């Protein structure tokens, strides 16, 4: 009788389970009722009856992958094979008792990050929804970043070198450009459009084009198109971009006037004793609000330092000019210039 490494599982036998990738692995026949689903699995569990009929016709073609991790009366947590497990349960419930036990590969317990990556890799060949693809990118990036920060390694990849985006692209089997587009959608797409994308009402290319627009303008587009959202295409978004660029937005002033107003405000507060000046571009939250109302400038950076950035053409010129901002704490500025 073949020796099974988990027949008498204890601390010593746990350590014997191989964690090194190999073409050979140990298996064990396990009751389908002794396996529980993995809550890290975010993929749709669909077409169960079709798969059950296929198994009934030709048998199970691929084994399940599990890890020994007892929970709520069951011993094994599923890593790969969610649909197969549900299909086997369906067959058993229909009277096919011969499908109660299934051959499983036993994996060594991994870290949470490694386990989530294993689940994504195990689902690499399935047909995925756009939402699943976006979740893959987000989860891979988060887990790889954590592993890199903690000095951990992912077999086959050196996380200390190069960009993690390249690793994500390699794991998902897509181009780096595709990963960048996924990242753009995950980070920048307005919630209303994300919901429409998840429901299949807009396609990936359209979502990526929308995500390149300021979120307030995304909201404007959504309000204009929500009643016919399924007809929204990339060219429509490009037309909206041109419209935003060409229109004279209410309340917007030209570049020179914006600079003059900023300089004027600087002079007004120059007599305040406690205000300090900086050669680098600094601004308080109050000054940001004042400038933002005038020409839609958004600061980005860290530790108080900022540059001027916006999608509007007006800002391209402002970015090239260094503006000296006189700085004071929030309550002093609010008191001096209420509203």
């Amino acid at each position: 009788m073949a020796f099974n490494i988990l027949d008498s599982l204890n601390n010593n036998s746990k350590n014997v389970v191989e964690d090194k990738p190999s073409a050979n692995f140990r298996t064990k026949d396990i009751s389908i009722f002794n396996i529980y689903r993995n809550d890290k699995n975010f993929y749709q569990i669909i077409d169960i009856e079709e798969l059950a009929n296929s198994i009934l016709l030709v048998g199970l073609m691929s084994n399940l992958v599990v890890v020994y991790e007892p929970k709520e009366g069951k011993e094994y947590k599923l890593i790969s094979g969610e649909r197969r497990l549900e299909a086997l349960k369906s067959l058993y419930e229909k009277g096919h008792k011969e499908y109660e036990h299934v051959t499983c590969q036993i994996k060594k317990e991994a870290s949470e990050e490694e386990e989530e990556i294993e689940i994504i890799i195990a689902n690499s060949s399935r047909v995925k929804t756009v939402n699943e693809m976006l979740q893959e990118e987000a989860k891979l990036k988060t887990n790889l970043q954590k592993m890199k920060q903690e000095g951990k390694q992912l077999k086959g990849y050196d996380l200390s070198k190069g960009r993690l985006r390249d690793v994500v692209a390699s794991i998902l089997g897509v181009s780096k450009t595709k990963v960048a587009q996924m990242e753009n959608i995950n980070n920048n797409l307005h919630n209303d459009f994300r919901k429409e994308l998840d429901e299949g009402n807009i396609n990936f290319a359209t979502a990526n084009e929308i995500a390149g627009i300021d979120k307030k303008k995304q909201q404007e587009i959504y309000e204009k198109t929500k009643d016919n959202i399924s007809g929204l295409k990339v060219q429509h978004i490009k037309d909206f971009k041109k419209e935003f660029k060409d229109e004279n937005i209410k309340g917007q002033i030209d570049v020179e006037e914006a600079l003059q107003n900023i300089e004027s405000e600087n002079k007004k507060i120059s007599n305040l004793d406690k205000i300090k000046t900086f050669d680098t571009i600094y601004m308080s939250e109050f000054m940001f609000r004042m400038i933002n109302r005038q020409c839609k400038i958004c600061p980005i950076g860290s530790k108080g330092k900022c540059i001027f950035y916006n999608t509007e053409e007006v800002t391209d010129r402002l970015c090239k000019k260094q503006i000296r901002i006189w700085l004071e704490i929030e309550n002093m500025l609010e008191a001096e210039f209420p509203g």
Side-chain angles (χ1 to χ4, degrees):
M1 181 176 179
F3 171 71
N4 192 305
I5 196 169
L6 293 178
D7 278 343
S8 180
L9 194 59
N10 52 39
N11 288 334
N12 289 330
S13 61
K14 284 182 184 179
N15 293 332
V16 176
V17 179
E18 291 288 340
D19 64 344
K20 181 179 179 181
S22 172
N24 302 310
F25 50 83
R26 294 187 181 277
T27 62
K28 180 179 181 178
D29 290 345
I30 302 172
S31 169
I32 56 177
F33 302 109
N34 199 22
I35 303 170
Y36 63 92
R37 293 182 58 182
N38 195 318
D39 57 13
K40 293 184 178 65
N41 192 311
F42 54 89
Y43 296 96
Q44 290 184 335
I45 310 300
I46 58 175
D47 300 329
I48 299 304
E49 290 308 309
E50 290 84 346
L51 180 57
N53 290 335
S54 174
I55 293 173
L56 192 60
L57 181 64
V58 298
L60 187 66
M61 304 296 288
S62 302
N63 58 266
L64 275 59
V65 180
V66 299
V67 61
Y68 180 82
E69 194 173 310
K71 178 182 177 181
E72 298 178 357
K74 297 183 180 182
E75 294 183 299
Y76 296 94
K77 179 169 67 174
L78 195 60
I79 300 297
S80 174
E82 297 272 354
R83 292 178 64 246
R84 280 165 281 165
L85 179 63
E86 293 305 309
L88 291 171
K89 288 180 178 179
S90 175
L91 289 173
Y92 182 88
E93 291 169 0
K94 291 177 180 178
H96 301 282
K97 306 303 181 183
E98 66 271 25
Y99 289 101
E100 178 183 354
H101 289 84
V102 57
T103 302
C104 299
Q105 176 187 355
I106 310 295
K107 296 279 288 185
K108 185 175 181 179
E109 186 176 359
S111 68
E112 289 190 8
E113 296 79 33
E114 291 171 324
E115 183 176 303
E116 198 151 32
I117 292 172
E118 284 182 356
I119 290 172
I120 291 173
I121 293 174
N123 285 275
S124 59
S125 61
R126 71 181 291 158
V127 177
K128 304 165 192 173
T129 65
V130 172
N131 177 264
E132 288 170 343
M133 291 169 55
L134 293 171
Q135 286 194 69
E136 285 181 331
E137 187 277 331
K139 290 177 183 296
L140 278 174
K141 183 173 70 174
T142 298
N143 287 311
L144 290 172
Q145 285 175 338
K146 186 174 181 181
M147 291 177 70
K148 181 176 181 178
Q149 290 169 357
E150 295 176 354
K152 296 179 180 178
Q153 291 297 315
L154 182 66
K155 294 179 180 68
Y157 300 95
D158 187 350
L159 301 182
S160 65
K161 298 178 181 179
R163 299 189 305 174
L164 291 182
R165 180 183 292 174
D166 297 347
V167 179
V168 173
S170 177
I171 291 174
L172 294 181
V174 299
S175 69
K176 299 170 189 176
T177 300
K178 186 75 169 181
V179 173
Q181 291 171 342
M182 293 181 193
E183 189 174 302
N184 179 42
I185 293 173
N186 279 327
N187 293 341
N188 302 314
L189 189 63
H190 190 282
N191 290 338
D192 288 332
F193 278 121
R194 179 58 188 262
K195 182 179 179 181
E196 300 292 352
L197 176 64
D198 292 345
E199 293 177 356
N201 296 325
I202 59 174
N203 62 32
F204 182 92
T206 302
N208 180 57
E209 194 72 26
I210 295 170
I213 303 174
D214 176 84
K215 282 195 175 181
K216 288 185 178 179
K217 287 185 171 54
Q218 289 187 43
Q219 182 64 46
E220 290 181 35
I221 295 174
Y222 183 76
E223 292 301 324
K224 292 178 180 179
T225 61
K226 62 183 180 181
D227 293 335
N228 189 30
I229 197 71
S230 60
L232 192 60
K233 306 300 179 185
V234 170
Q235 186 56 52
H236 298 141
I237 304 306
K238 290 182 177 180
D239 292 341
F240 275 117
K241 284 183 176 180
K242 186 177 185 302
E243 178 184 325
F244 289 140
K245 182 177 180 180
D246 293 342
E247 71 179 355
N248 182 19
I249 300 174
K250 184 178 180 180
Q252 179 175 305
I253 60 177
D254 63 32
V255 178
E256 300 307 327
E257 186 179 352
L259 292 173
Q260 289 173 6
N261 285 353
I262 292 169
E263 181 63 24
S264 175
E265 293 299 329
N266 287 340
K267 290 178 179 178
K268 287 181 183 179
I269 63 176
S270 61
N271 292 328
L272 297 177
D273 295 336
K274 295 182 181 180
I275 294 179
K276 300 178 180 180
T277 64
F278 293 82
D279 289 331
T280 50
I281 307 174
Y282 278 66
M283 62 169 62
S284 71
E285 182 182 350
F286 172 82
M287 289 296 287
F288 160 64
R289 291 203 302 271
M290 182 274 291
I291 297 170
N292 188 52
R293 284 198 300 271
Q294 292 179 334
C295 53
K296 296 186 70 57
I297 300 173
C298 302
I300 59 174
S302 61
K303 298 180 180 179
K305 298 179 181 179
C306 59
I307 62 173
F308 295 124
Y309 171 83
N310 190 41
T311 55
E312 299 301 326
E313 184 177 0
V314 64
T315 312
D316 293 339
R317 291 181 60 193
L318 284 173
C319 288
K320 297 173 184 177
K321 296 177 180 286
Q322 183 168 354
I323 304 172
R324 189 179 301 249
I325 301 297
W326 299 77
L327 195 65
E328 174 53 342
I329 58 175
E330 181 75 11
N331 60 345
M332 292 182 67
L333 287 170
E334 292 285 7
E336 185 71 8
F337 307 108

